PDB file of all heavy atoms in Angstrom:
ATOM      1  N   GLN A   1      22.863 -27.490  11.466  1.00  0.00           N
ATOM      2  CA  GLN A   1      21.660 -26.725  11.125  1.00  0.00           C
ATOM      3  C   GLN A   1      20.614 -26.820  12.270  1.00  0.00           C
ATOM      4  O   GLN A   1      20.578 -27.838  12.989  1.00  0.00           O
ATOM      5  CB  GLN A   1      21.038 -27.270   9.832  1.00  0.00           C
ATOM      6  CG  GLN A   1      21.946 -27.165   8.612  1.00  0.00           C
ATOM      7  CD  GLN A   1      22.127 -25.711   8.105  1.00  0.00           C
ATOM      8  OE1 GLN A   1      21.702 -24.798   8.766  1.00  0.00           O
ATOM      9  NE2 GLN A   1      22.689 -25.571   6.914  1.00  0.00           N
ATOM     10  N   PRO A   2      19.759 -25.810  12.401  1.00  0.00           N
ATOM     11  CA  PRO A   2      18.786 -25.787  13.520  1.00  0.00           C
ATOM     12  C   PRO A   2      17.755 -26.895  13.444  1.00  0.00           C
ATOM     13  O   PRO A   2      17.139 -27.217  14.481  1.00  0.00           O
ATOM     14  CB  PRO A   2      18.162 -24.394  13.408  1.00  0.00           C
ATOM     15  CG  PRO A   2      18.434 -23.951  11.999  1.00  0.00           C
ATOM     16  CD  PRO A   2      19.695 -24.567  11.609  1.00  0.00           C
ATOM     17  N   TRP A   3      17.561 -27.535  12.312  1.00  0.00           N
ATOM     18  CA  TRP A   3      16.555 -28.591  12.222  1.00  0.00           C
ATOM     19  C   TRP A   3      17.076 -29.962  12.637  1.00  0.00           C
ATOM     20  O   TRP A   3      16.369 -30.940  12.605  1.00  0.00           O
ATOM     21  CB  TRP A   3      15.950 -28.665  10.822  1.00  0.00           C
ATOM     22  CG  TRP A   3      16.961 -28.773   9.734  1.00  0.00           C
ATOM     23  CD1 TRP A   3      17.668 -29.880   9.340  1.00  0.00           C
ATOM     24  CD2 TRP A   3      17.380 -27.738   8.844  1.00  0.00           C
ATOM     25  NE1 TRP A   3      18.475 -29.604   8.295  1.00  0.00           N
ATOM     26  CE2 TRP A   3      18.313 -28.284   7.956  1.00  0.00           C
ATOM     27  CE3 TRP A   3      17.016 -26.380   8.715  1.00  0.00           C
ATOM     28  CZ2 TRP A   3      18.950 -27.530   6.960  1.00  0.00           C
ATOM     29  CZ3 TRP A   3      17.659 -25.655   7.728  1.00  0.00           C
ATOM     30  CH2 TRP A   3      18.585 -26.196   6.867  1.00  0.00           C
ATOM     31  N   VAL A   4      18.362 -30.015  13.000  1.00  0.00           N
ATOM     32  CA  VAL A   4      18.921 -31.244  13.562  1.00  0.00           C
ATOM     33  C   VAL A   4      18.560 -31.293  15.019  1.00  0.00           C
ATOM     34  O   VAL A   4      19.080 -30.520  15.821  1.00  0.00           O
ATOM     35  CB  VAL A   4      20.428 -31.345  13.350  1.00  0.00           C
ATOM     36  CG1 VAL A   4      20.964 -32.610  13.998  1.00  0.00           C
ATOM     37  CG2 VAL A   4      20.787 -31.311  11.861  1.00  0.00           C
ATOM     38  N   ALA A   5      17.636 -32.161  15.403  1.00  0.00           N
ATOM     39  CA  ALA A   5      17.083 -32.141  16.757  1.00  0.00           C
ATOM     40  C   ALA A   5      18.018 -32.829  17.753  1.00  0.00           C
ATOM     41  O   ALA A   5      18.029 -32.483  18.948  1.00  0.00           O
ATOM     42  CB  ALA A   5      15.718 -32.846  16.792  1.00  0.00           C
ATOM     43  N   SER A   6      18.796 -33.800  17.289  1.00  0.00           N
ATOM     44  CA  SER A   6      19.670 -34.525  18.253  1.00  0.00           C
ATOM     45  C   SER A   6      20.819 -35.140  17.496  1.00  0.00           C
ATOM     46  O   SER A   6      20.713 -35.510  16.337  1.00  0.00           O
ATOM     47  CB  SER A   6      18.860 -35.615  18.958  1.00  0.00           C
ATOM     48  OG  SER A   6      19.655 -36.325  19.909  1.00  0.00           O
ATOM     49  N   LEU A   7      21.962 -35.245  18.207  1.00  0.00           N
ATOM     50  CA  LEU A   7      23.169 -35.864  17.684  1.00  0.00           C
ATOM     51  C   LEU A   7      23.716 -36.842  18.737  1.00  0.00           C
ATOM     52  O   LEU A   7      23.381 -36.714  19.937  1.00  0.00           O
ATOM     53  CB  LEU A   7      24.227 -34.804  17.372  1.00  0.00           C
ATOM     54  CG  LEU A   7      23.930 -33.879  16.197  1.00  0.00           C
ATOM     55  CD1 LEU A   7      24.902 -32.711  16.195  1.00  0.00           C
ATOM     56  CD2 LEU A   7      24.020 -34.615  14.879  1.00  0.00           C
ATOM     57  N   PRO A   8      24.549 -37.797  18.357  1.00  0.00           N
ATOM     58  CA  PRO A   8      25.104 -38.719  19.343  1.00  0.00           C
ATOM     59  C   PRO A   8      25.959 -38.027  20.383  1.00  0.00           C
ATOM     60  O   PRO A   8      26.794 -37.189  20.056  1.00  0.00           O
ATOM     61  CB  PRO A   8      26.002 -39.638  18.484  1.00  0.00           C
ATOM     62  CG  PRO A   8      25.490 -39.511  17.070  1.00  0.00           C
ATOM     63  CD  PRO A   8      24.999 -38.098  16.963  1.00  0.00           C
ATOM     64  N   ARG A   9      25.695 -38.323  21.640  1.00  0.00           N
ATOM     65  CA  ARG A   9      26.385 -37.692  22.747  1.00  0.00           C
ATOM     66  C   ARG A   9      26.798 -38.724  23.796  1.00  0.00           C
ATOM     67  O   ARG A   9      26.084 -39.722  24.010  1.00  0.00           O
ATOM     68  CB  ARG A   9      25.550 -36.591  23.404  1.00  0.00           C
ATOM     69  CG  ARG A   9      25.218 -35.455  22.453  1.00  0.00           C
ATOM     70  CD  ARG A   9      24.510 -34.309  23.146  1.00  0.00           C
ATOM     71  NE  ARG A   9      24.133 -33.283  22.178  1.00  0.00           N
ATOM     72  CZ  ARG A   9      24.941 -32.349  21.675  1.00  0.00           C
ATOM     73  NH1 ARG A   9      26.187 -32.309  22.117  1.00  0.00           N
ATOM     74  NH2 ARG A   9      24.526 -31.483  20.784  1.00  0.00           N
ATOM     75  N   ALA A  10      27.929 -38.454  24.451  1.00  0.00           N
ATOM     76  CA  ALA A  10      28.330 -39.279  25.562  1.00  0.00           C
ATOM     77  C   ALA A  10      27.530 -38.892  26.811  1.00  0.00           C
ATOM     78  O   ALA A  10      26.777 -37.924  26.793  1.00  0.00           O
ATOM     79  CB  ALA A  10      29.842 -39.108  25.814  1.00  0.00           C
ATOM     80  N   ARG A  11      27.713 -39.627  27.865  1.00  0.00           N
ATOM     81  CA  ARG A  11      26.976 -39.349  29.087  1.00  0.00           C
ATOM     82  C   ARG A  11      27.259 -37.953  29.632  1.00  0.00           C
ATOM     83  O   ARG A  11      26.421 -37.348  30.299  1.00  0.00           O
ATOM     84  CB  ARG A  11      27.320 -40.387  30.195  1.00  0.00           C
ATOM     85  CG  ARG A  11      26.848 -41.801  29.851  1.00  0.00           C
ATOM     86  CD  ARG A  11      27.088 -42.732  31.028  1.00  0.00           C
ATOM     87  NE  ARG A  11      26.787 -44.120  30.629  1.00  0.00           N
ATOM     88  CZ  ARG A  11      27.678 -44.980  30.198  1.00  0.00           C
ATOM     89  NH1 ARG A  11      28.964 -44.615  30.059  1.00  0.00           N
ATOM     90  NH2 ARG A  11      27.341 -46.200  29.882  1.00  0.00           N
ATOM     91  N   ASN A  12      28.454 -37.436  29.385  1.00  0.00           N
ATOM     92  CA  ASN A  12      28.807 -36.104  29.861  1.00  0.00           C
ATOM     93  C   ASN A  12      28.238 -34.992  28.975  1.00  0.00           C
ATOM     94  O   ASN A  12      28.507 -33.820  29.208  1.00  0.00           O
ATOM     95  CB  ASN A  12      30.316 -35.971  29.995  1.00  0.00           C
ATOM     96  CG  ASN A  12      31.028 -36.112  28.663  1.00  0.00           C
ATOM     97  OD1 ASN A  12      30.428 -36.218  27.612  1.00  0.00           O
ATOM     98  ND2 ASN A  12      32.377 -36.125  28.712  1.00  0.00           N
ATOM     99  N   GLY A  13      27.424 -35.360  27.962  1.00  0.00           N
ATOM    100  CA  GLY A  13      26.802 -34.382  27.083  1.00  0.00           C
ATOM    101  C   GLY A  13      27.626 -33.987  25.909  1.00  0.00           C
ATOM    102  O   GLY A  13      27.187 -33.236  25.013  1.00  0.00           O
ATOM    103  N   MET A  14      28.894 -34.464  25.810  1.00  0.00           N
ATOM    104  CA  MET A  14      29.769 -34.093  24.732  1.00  0.00           C
ATOM    105  C   MET A  14      29.376 -34.798  23.428  1.00  0.00           C
ATOM    106  O   MET A  14      29.075 -35.969  23.412  1.00  0.00           O
ATOM    107  CB  MET A  14      31.215 -34.476  25.082  1.00  0.00           C
ATOM    108  CG  MET A  14      32.246 -34.031  24.044  1.00  0.00           C
ATOM    109  SD  MET A  14      33.912 -34.620  24.462  1.00  0.00           S
ATOM    110  CE  MET A  14      33.754 -36.369  24.182  1.00  0.00           C
ATOM    111  N   LEU A  15      29.367 -34.011  22.341  1.00  0.00           N
ATOM    112  CA  LEU A  15      29.138 -34.562  21.021  1.00  0.00           C
ATOM    113  C   LEU A  15      30.228 -35.623  20.706  1.00  0.00           C
ATOM    114  O   LEU A  15      31.397 -35.359  20.947  1.00  0.00           O
ATOM    115  CB  LEU A  15      29.156 -33.467  19.979  1.00  0.00           C
ATOM    116  CG  LEU A  15      29.159 -33.941  18.501  1.00  0.00           C
ATOM    117  CD1 LEU A  15      27.810 -34.527  18.140  1.00  0.00           C
ATOM    118  CD2 LEU A  15      29.483 -32.757  17.600  1.00  0.00           C
ATOM    119  N   VAL A  16      29.820 -36.732  20.148  1.00  0.00           N
ATOM    120  CA  VAL A  16      30.771 -37.737  19.640  1.00  0.00           C
ATOM    121  C   VAL A  16      30.586 -37.743  18.112  1.00  0.00           C
ATOM    122  O   VAL A  16      29.584 -38.236  17.607  1.00  0.00           O
ATOM    123  CB  VAL A  16      30.518 -39.099  20.244  1.00  0.00           C
ATOM    124  CG1 VAL A  16      31.538 -40.106  19.735  1.00  0.00           C
ATOM    125  CG2 VAL A  16      30.576 -39.050  21.771  1.00  0.00           C
ATOM    126  N   GLY A  17      31.542 -37.177  17.432  1.00  0.00           N
ATOM    127  CA  GLY A  17      31.437 -37.042  15.969  1.00  0.00           C
ATOM    128  C   GLY A  17      31.809 -38.294  15.246  1.00  0.00           C
ATOM    129  O   GLY A  17      32.233 -39.319  15.830  1.00  0.00           O
ATOM    130  N   PRO A  18      31.641 -38.323  13.919  1.00  0.00           N
ATOM    131  CA  PRO A  18      31.983 -39.505  13.142  1.00  0.00           C
ATOM    132  C   PRO A  18      33.487 -39.738  13.183  1.00  0.00           C
ATOM    133  O   PRO A  18      34.280 -38.809  13.161  1.00  0.00           O
ATOM    134  CB  PRO A  18      31.530 -39.118  11.725  1.00  0.00           C
ATOM    135  CG  PRO A  18      31.466 -37.622  11.724  1.00  0.00           C
ATOM    136  CD  PRO A  18      31.128 -37.217  13.082  1.00  0.00           C
ATOM    137  N   GLY A  19      33.854 -41.027  13.285  1.00  0.00           N
ATOM    138  CA  GLY A  19      35.282 -41.326  13.395  1.00  0.00           C
ATOM    139  C   GLY A  19      35.521 -42.811  13.219  1.00  0.00           C
ATOM    140  O   GLY A  19      34.626 -43.563  12.853  1.00  0.00           O
ATOM    141  N   LEU A  20      36.737 -43.238  13.540  1.00  0.00           N
ATOM    142  CA  LEU A  20      37.135 -44.605  13.325  1.00  0.00           C
ATOM    143  C   LEU A  20      36.794 -45.491  14.514  1.00  0.00           C
ATOM    144  O   LEU A  20      36.849 -46.735  14.425  1.00  0.00           O
ATOM    145  CB  LEU A  20      38.646 -44.714  13.017  1.00  0.00           C
ATOM    146  CG  LEU A  20      39.069 -44.068  11.717  1.00  0.00           C
ATOM    147  CD1 LEU A  20      40.572 -44.142  11.535  1.00  0.00           C
ATOM    148  CD2 LEU A  20      38.352 -44.701  10.516  1.00  0.00           C
ATOM    149  N   LEU A  21      36.563 -44.903  15.677  1.00  0.00           N
ATOM    150  CA  LEU A  21      36.167 -45.704  16.847  1.00  0.00           C
ATOM    151  C   LEU A  21      34.661 -45.778  16.981  1.00  0.00           C
ATOM    152  O   LEU A  21      34.080 -46.869  17.096  1.00  0.00           O
ATOM    153  CB  LEU A  21      36.803 -45.095  18.120  1.00  0.00           C
ATOM    154  CG  LEU A  21      38.322 -45.031  18.150  1.00  0.00           C
ATOM    155  CD1 LEU A  21      38.824 -44.670  19.537  1.00  0.00           C
ATOM    156  CD2 LEU A  21      38.985 -46.321  17.667  1.00  0.00           C
ATOM    157  N   PHE A  22      34.011 -44.624  16.967  1.00  0.00           N
ATOM    158  CA  PHE A  22      32.534 -44.609  16.960  1.00  0.00           C
ATOM    159  C   PHE A  22      32.075 -44.514  15.506  1.00  0.00           C
ATOM    160  O   PHE A  22      32.236 -43.446  14.892  1.00  0.00           O
ATOM    161  CB  PHE A  22      32.012 -43.459  17.820  1.00  0.00           C
ATOM    162  CG  PHE A  22      30.540 -43.310  17.808  1.00  0.00           C
ATOM    163  CD1 PHE A  22      29.692 -44.327  18.226  1.00  0.00           C
ATOM    164  CD2 PHE A  22      29.918 -42.164  17.290  1.00  0.00           C
ATOM    165  CE1 PHE A  22      28.325 -44.195  18.210  1.00  0.00           C
ATOM    166  CE2 PHE A  22      28.553 -42.019  17.249  1.00  0.00           C
ATOM    167  CZ  PHE A  22      27.743 -43.041  17.711  1.00  0.00           C
ATOM    168  N   ASN A  23      31.472 -45.570  14.988  1.00  0.00           N
ATOM    169  CA  ASN A  23      31.142 -45.585  13.556  1.00  0.00           C
ATOM    170  C   ASN A  23      29.645 -45.689  13.297  1.00  0.00           C
ATOM    171  O   ASN A  23      29.229 -46.109  12.231  1.00  0.00           O
ATOM    172  CB  ASN A  23      31.895 -46.703  12.847  1.00  0.00           C
ATOM    173  CG  ASN A  23      31.738 -48.060  13.530  1.00  0.00           C
ATOM    174  OD1 ASN A  23      30.669 -48.395  13.991  1.00  0.00           O
ATOM    175  ND2 ASN A  23      32.825 -48.790  13.591  1.00  0.00           N
ATOM    176  N   ARG A  24      28.822 -45.295  14.303  1.00  0.00           N
ATOM    177  CA  ARG A  24      27.395 -45.305  14.104  1.00  0.00           C
ATOM    178  C   ARG A  24      26.819 -43.916  14.332  1.00  0.00           C
ATOM    179  O   ARG A  24      25.792 -43.704  14.970  1.00  0.00           O
ATOM    180  CB  ARG A  24      26.721 -46.315  15.033  1.00  0.00           C
ATOM    181  CG  ARG A  24      26.915 -47.748  14.583  1.00  0.00           C
ATOM    182  CD  ARG A  24      26.179 -48.038  13.302  1.00  0.00           C
ATOM    183  NE  ARG A  24      26.468 -49.351  12.727  1.00  0.00           N
ATOM    184  CZ  ARG A  24      27.417 -49.588  11.832  1.00  0.00           C
ATOM    185  NH1 ARG A  24      28.165 -48.585  11.372  1.00  0.00           N
ATOM    186  NH2 ARG A  24      27.611 -50.785  11.378  1.00  0.00           N
ATOM    187  N   PHE A  25      27.510 -42.901  13.784  1.00  0.00           N
ATOM    188  CA  PHE A  25      27.134 -41.522  13.982  1.00  0.00           C
ATOM    189  C   PHE A  25      25.707 -41.246  13.447  1.00  0.00           C
ATOM    190  O   PHE A  25      24.862 -40.668  14.131  1.00  0.00           O
ATOM    191  CB  PHE A  25      28.131 -40.591  13.338  1.00  0.00           C
ATOM    192  CG  PHE A  25      27.797 -39.126  13.435  1.00  0.00           C
ATOM    193  CD1 PHE A  25      27.991 -38.459  14.589  1.00  0.00           C
ATOM    194  CD2 PHE A  25      27.294 -38.453  12.355  1.00  0.00           C
ATOM    195  CE1 PHE A  25      27.678 -37.104  14.731  1.00  0.00           C
ATOM    196  CE2 PHE A  25      26.971 -37.142  12.426  1.00  0.00           C
ATOM    197  CZ  PHE A  25      27.148 -36.447  13.608  1.00  0.00           C
ATOM    198  N   VAL A  26      25.454 -41.670  12.200  1.00  0.00           N
ATOM    199  CA  VAL A  26      24.179 -41.384  11.592  1.00  0.00           C
ATOM    200  C   VAL A  26      23.034 -42.017  12.358  1.00  0.00           C
ATOM    201  O   VAL A  26      21.910 -41.475  12.405  1.00  0.00           O
ATOM    202  CB  VAL A  26      24.177 -41.826  10.126  1.00  0.00           C
ATOM    203  CG1 VAL A  26      22.822 -41.578   9.451  1.00  0.00           C
ATOM    204  CG2 VAL A  26      25.265 -41.093   9.352  1.00  0.00           C
ATOM    205  N   SER A  27      23.301 -43.139  12.946  1.00  0.00           N
ATOM    206  CA  SER A  27      22.239 -43.844  13.718  1.00  0.00           C
ATOM    207  C   SER A  27      21.794 -43.016  14.924  1.00  0.00           C
ATOM    208  O   SER A  27      20.682 -43.291  15.459  1.00  0.00           O
ATOM    209  CB  SER A  27      22.750 -45.225  14.179  1.00  0.00           C
ATOM    210  OG  SER A  27      23.080 -46.007  13.056  1.00  0.00           O
ATOM    211  N   GLY A  28      22.621 -42.081  15.369  1.00  0.00           N
ATOM    212  CA  GLY A  28      22.203 -41.250  16.495  1.00  0.00           C
ATOM    213  C   GLY A  28      21.678 -39.903  16.139  1.00  0.00           C
ATOM    214  O   GLY A  28      21.405 -39.061  16.998  1.00  0.00           O
ATOM    215  N   VAL A  29      21.462 -39.659  14.831  1.00  0.00           N
ATOM    216  CA  VAL A  29      20.945 -38.393  14.325  1.00  0.00           C
ATOM    217  C   VAL A  29      19.425 -38.405  14.352  1.00  0.00           C
ATOM    218  O   VAL A  29      18.810 -39.330  13.864  1.00  0.00           O
ATOM    219  CB  VAL A  29      21.467 -38.086  12.934  1.00  0.00           C
ATOM    220  CG1 VAL A  29      20.798 -36.840  12.322  1.00  0.00           C
ATOM    221  CG2 VAL A  29      23.003 -37.902  12.918  1.00  0.00           C
ATOM    222  N   VAL A  30      18.845 -37.345  14.881  1.00  0.00           N
ATOM    223  CA  VAL A  30      17.379 -37.160  14.860  1.00  0.00           C
ATOM    224  C   VAL A  30      17.113 -35.806  14.154  1.00  0.00           C
ATOM    225  O   VAL A  30      17.651 -34.778  14.566  1.00  0.00           O
ATOM    226  CB  VAL A  30      16.772 -37.154  16.281  1.00  0.00           C
ATOM    227  CG1 VAL A  30      15.263 -36.901  16.208  1.00  0.00           C
ATOM    228  CG2 VAL A  30      17.062 -38.507  16.950  1.00  0.00           C
ATOM    229  N   LEU A  31      16.287 -35.852  13.150  1.00  0.00           N
ATOM    230  CA  LEU A  31      15.926 -34.652  12.413  1.00  0.00           C
ATOM    231  C   LEU A  31      14.492 -34.259  12.729  1.00  0.00           C
ATOM    232  O   LEU A  31      13.653 -35.113  12.995  1.00  0.00           O
ATOM    233  CB  LEU A  31      16.084 -34.901  10.894  1.00  0.00           C
ATOM    234  CG  LEU A  31      17.487 -35.300  10.392  1.00  0.00           C
ATOM    235  CD1 LEU A  31      17.393 -35.666   8.930  1.00  0.00           C
ATOM    236  CD2 LEU A  31      18.466 -34.197  10.618  1.00  0.00           C
ATOM    237  N   ASP A  32      14.224 -32.970  12.702  1.00  0.00           N
ATOM    238  CA  ASP A  32      12.857 -32.468  12.855  1.00  0.00           C
ATOM    239  C   ASP A  32      12.116 -32.770  11.557  1.00  0.00           C
ATOM    240  O   ASP A  32      12.350 -32.143  10.522  1.00  0.00           O
ATOM    241  CB  ASP A  32      12.900 -30.961  13.149  1.00  0.00           C
ATOM    242  CG  ASP A  32      11.537 -30.398  13.516  1.00  0.00           C
ATOM    243  OD1 ASP A  32      10.523 -30.991  13.068  1.00  0.00           O
ATOM    244  OD2 ASP A  32      11.454 -29.411  14.206  1.00  0.00           O
TER     245      ASP A  32
END
């Protein structure tokens, strides 16, 4: 949704979604 200001990303800018290796997805979410 457009009101999601930021999501977890790697240094190359790629989104890192929720998964079994990276398990702090919500901690990287920024909402407007």
